[in-house]
Amino acid sequence: MKAAKNNVYTVSRLNGEVRQILEGQIGKIWLNGEISNFSSPSSGHWYLTLKDTHSQIRCAMFKGRNQGVNFRPVNGQQVLVKGAISVYEPRGDYQLLLESMLPAGDGLLAQEYEALKMKLAAEGLFASETKRALPSNIQRIGIITSATGAALRDVLHVLQRRDASIEVVVYPTQVQGTSASDNICRAIELANKRLEVDVLLLTRGGGSLEDLWCFNNEMLAHSIYNSALPVVSAVGHEVDTTISDYVADVRAPTPSAGAELLSQDKGNKAQKLSLMLSRLAQGMRHYNLSQDKRFTALHHRLEQQDPKRRLQQLEQQFDEYQLRLDNAFKHKLSRLHLRQERLSAQLQRQSPEHKLQLAAKELTHISGRFNDAIKDTLYSAEQRLKQSAHQLEAMSPLATLSRGYSISSNAKGKVIEDASKLKVGDSLHTRLGKGQLVSTVTDIVN
C-alpha cells in the first residue's frame, strides 16, 4: 500500500508538532507532586521527576528560573510547581518546564486564590460596569462581622465620631474558620430579605492569608454579587486583598476606612474624594487584571515562538549528555580499578621478589646438599688416600730398606740387579735405610 507523500512524517517533525499542540492547548498549569531523580549539572539547570502514587512526569527548571527558588529541592520532598507543558524533541519525551516552585505546605492557598480570582473575573463578577454607587444619604448601615471583634468597635467609634445620627444594624457572624463563609452568606441573605438598611459593610480586622481565607470563597463571591444592597468590603489591613474586595461595589482598606467612607462630616469633600480614589483604585485593579490576562496570553504566544525555547532544549540535551558522560566515565573508572586490582594480584603472584625468595630457599637447600656431597667426597677420597698410602707404604722400597736391605745403582742411576754387569773400578751408589754410600768396585764375586 502506497502512503501519500504529505502524510509521511520525520520523527523530528512529529515531535515538533506534538510540542506545539501541547504548548498551545494546555499551556501553563499548577502541579503538586513528590520530587525524585533530582540532578543539578554544572550548567545550573535543574532536572527532576514529579510523581504521585500512580504516575510521574519529567521536569526541567532552567537557571534563570530556579534562582528565584529560596530552598534547595531534595528527593522525596513534596512541592507545588507552576510550568508549561512541552516536549523534549531529541528524546520524544513530554515534560514540564517549571517557572516557579514552592514547598507543598506553602503556596497552595495562594494558588487556589489566583485560580478562583481568574475564574470569577472570567465570569464577570469583577466588572466595573456592574458596580453600584453608594446611596448619597445613608441613614442606616448593616455591619456583617463578629459581634466581639475589634473591627466592630473601630467602626462604631468612627461612626459615633463622624455622624452619630446614623443607625447601625449588626448581623453577627463568624469571620474565621471553616464554617465562616456559610455564616457570612446567610447574613447577607438575611439583610437582603429584611431590607432594613441602606448599605452593607462586610468587615473584620487583619490576619494571615489563612485567617482571611473565608473571604476567598466562591459561594460568598456570588452572594455579594447577587446582593440587592450595595456592599462595601473592608477586610483586613490595607495590604490585604480578598476575593470579597474584588466583588464588592466598593473596597475600603480597613474597617475604620469603611466607616469613614459610609459616614459624612465636615470633611465631606475629602470623603467623596476618598470614594472616587477608591473606585479609581478598584477600576485600576480590574484593568490591571484584564491586562495581566492579555499579557499572559501574549507572553505564552511569544514563548511558543521564542528561540530561547530551542536553546533551552539544546542546553537540556547538553546536560543529559554530560550526565551520561559522567556516568560512563565513573563506570569506566570502576572497571579500570577492578582490572588494576586483578593485575596487581597477578603481579604479586609473579613478583621477582617472590621468585627470588623461592630461588634463595632452593639455593640454600642445594648449597647444603652440595656441601654435604663435598664433605662425603673428601671423606671418601681421604679414606682412599689413607688406604693407598698404607698400601704404598707396604710396597715401598724404603720399607724394605728400613728392614736392613739396600739398593745399589751405577753412576747413571740404574739399579744393579746382576753383579756380572759390573767391572772393577765402577762407582756404586748404595742407598740404605738411612743415608747413602758411594763406593768403587774392587772385586766381583759371582
Side-chain angles (χ1 to χ4, degrees):
M1 182 176 180
K2 189 173 182 180
K5 185 176 181 180
N6 293 338
N7 291 334
V8 178
Y9 278 67
T10 63
V11 176
S12 300
R13 177 188 170 193
L14 176 62
N15 287 342
E17 292 194 10
V18 170
R19 178 180 64 82
Q20 292 179 7
I21 291 173
L22 288 176
E23 292 177 354
Q25 295 188 3
I26 299 180
K28 297 177 183 178
I29 62 170
W30 286 91
L31 186 66
N32 190 17
E34 177 185 333
I35 294 177
S36 64
N37 301 322
F38 177 81
S39 64
S40 179
S42 58
S43 62
H45 305 322
W46 289 352
Y47 302 101
L48 57 131
T49 299
L50 283 180
K51 65 179 183 178
D52 55 21
T53 55
H54 301 293
S55 189
Q56 64 182 18
I57 182 175
R58 293 188 178 185
C59 303
M61 193 171 196
F62 297 106
K63 185 177 181 180
R65 295 290 188 180
N66 61 40
Q67 288 178 342
V69 179
N70 57 7
F71 65 96
R72 181 71 173 181
V74 294
N75 289 329
Q77 185 176 15
Q78 200 78 16
V79 293
L80 176 69
V81 300
K82 180 183 179 182
I85 292 291
S86 183
V87 172
Y88 180 49
E89 296 181 31
R91 200 170 50 232
D93 293 340
Y94 90 96
Q95 60 182 359
L96 192 63
L97 300 180
L98 304 184
E99 295 182 0
S100 62
M101 178 184 295
L102 295 169
D106 302 336
L108 285 176
L109 293 181
Q111 188 261 336
E112 293 179 17
Y113 171 82
E114 291 295 333
L116 179 59
K117 186 172 72 172
M118 297 295 288
K119 177 183 178 183
L120 296 178
E123 293 176 0
L125 270 67
F126 302 161
S128 58
E129 57 269 19
T130 64
K131 305 299 180 183
R132 291 159 296 184
L134 297 180
S136 58
N137 186 22
I138 298 176
Q139 300 296 320
R140 183 175 289 183
I141 299 174
I143 303 177
I144 301 176
T145 189
S146 170
T148 60
L152 178 60
R153 294 195 298 271
D154 292 343
V155 169
L156 294 178
H157 176 74
V158 171
L159 293 177
Q160 180 66 28
R161 173 173 56 83
R162 288 172 59 83
D163 190 349
S165 66
I166 295 179
E167 298 181 18
V168 173
V169 177
V170 177
Y171 300 94
T173 179
Q174 293 180 350
V175 290
Q176 182 174 336
T178 56
S179 59
S181 298
D182 293 338
N183 291 337
I184 296 173
C185 290
R186 286 195 290 269
I188 294 174
E189 292 175 1
L190 178 62
N192 278 271
K193 183 177 180 180
R194 292 181 179 179
L195 293 177
E196 56 189 348
V197 296
D198 301 317
V199 64
L200 291 176
L201 176 62
L202 175 62
T203 186
R204 70 147 280 166
S208 65
L209 180 60
E210 290 82 359
D211 295 337
L212 304 179
W213 191 246
C214 62
F215 294 93
N216 296 318
N217 181 272
E218 184 175 2
M219 182 175 65
L220 175 59
H222 284 283
S223 294
I224 296 173
Y225 182 78
N226 294 323
S227 172
L229 297 170
V231 178
V232 175
S233 176
V235 177
H237 299 304
E238 189 168 356
V239 295
D240 300 320
T241 305
T242 63
I243 295 296
S244 63
D245 293 335
Y246 285 103
V247 184
D249 297 293
V250 178
R251 185 246 178 182
T254 64
S256 297
E260 291 181 357
L261 188 65
L262 296 176
S263 60
Q264 295 185 6
D265 61 358
K266 294 180 181 179
N268 187 40
K269 292 182 179 179
Q271 183 250 342
K272 288 184 177 180
L273 178 61
S274 176
L275 175 61
M276 293 175 64
L277 290 175
S278 176
R279 296 184 66 86
L280 177 62
Q282 190 171 16
M284 287 297 297
R285 285 196 297 272
H286 296 321
Y287 176 78
N288 289 335
L289 182 62
S290 63
Q291 292 301 309
D292 286 343
K293 289 174 61 179
R294 184 169 179 268
F295 173 77
T296 300
L298 293 175
H299 182 68
H300 181 62
R301 289 174 57 189
L302 179 62
E303 281 187 339
Q304 291 180 358
Q305 306 298 327
D306 191 355
K308 182 175 65 176
R309 179 63 58 84
R310 178 59 181 166
L311 180 61
Q312 289 175 344
Q313 290 225 352
L314 292 175
E315 289 179 345
Q316 183 176 352
Q317 187 175 7
F318 173 78
D319 289 336
E320 180 180 342
Y321 288 157
Q322 184 181 28
L323 291 174
R324 289 170 60 185
L325 180 61
D326 290 343
N327 292 333
F329 184 68
K330 291 177 182 178
H331 181 66
K332 182 66 175 179
L333 281 181
S334 177
R335 291 179 58 189
L336 290 176
H337 181 67
L338 291 176
R339 184 183 178 190
Q340 186 267 337
E341 290 181 347
R342 185 169 61 252
L343 292 176
S344 178
Q346 292 178 359
L347 181 61
Q348 186 67 25
R349 290 193 297 270
Q350 301 296 329
S351 173
E353 181 180 0
H354 180 65
K355 289 186 176 182
L356 285 175
Q357 291 175 353
L358 293 178
K361 291 181 180 179
E362 186 176 0
L363 180 60
T364 301
H365 177 68
I366 294 174
S367 178
R369 290 178 59 190
F370 180 72
N371 290 334
D372 292 341
I374 289 178
K375 289 180 182 179
D376 292 342
T377 302
L378 289 176
Y379 178 76
S380 298
E382 183 181 4
Q383 294 301 316
R384 288 195 303 273
L385 180 60
K386 287 181 180 180
Q387 185 178 2
S388 297
H390 180 70
Q391 292 176 356
L392 181 60
E393 184 179 358
M395 299 176 61
S396 174
L398 296 177
T400 304
L401 293 176
S402 64
R403 292 196 298 270
Y405 293 93
S406 65
I407 299 175
S408 297
S409 59
N410 58 21
K412 296 181 179 180
K414 184 176 181 181
V415 176
I416 304 300
E417 297 178 354
D418 188 358
S420 63
K421 293 182 178 181
L422 295 174
K423 60 183 181 287
V424 177
D426 289 340
S427 296
L428 293 178
H429 293 270
T430 303
R431 183 166 182 158
L432 303 177
K434 294 181 178 180
Q436 295 183 12
L437 296 176
V438 179
S439 61
T440 303
V441 178
T442 60
D443 189 16
I444 299 172
V445 179
N446 291 322

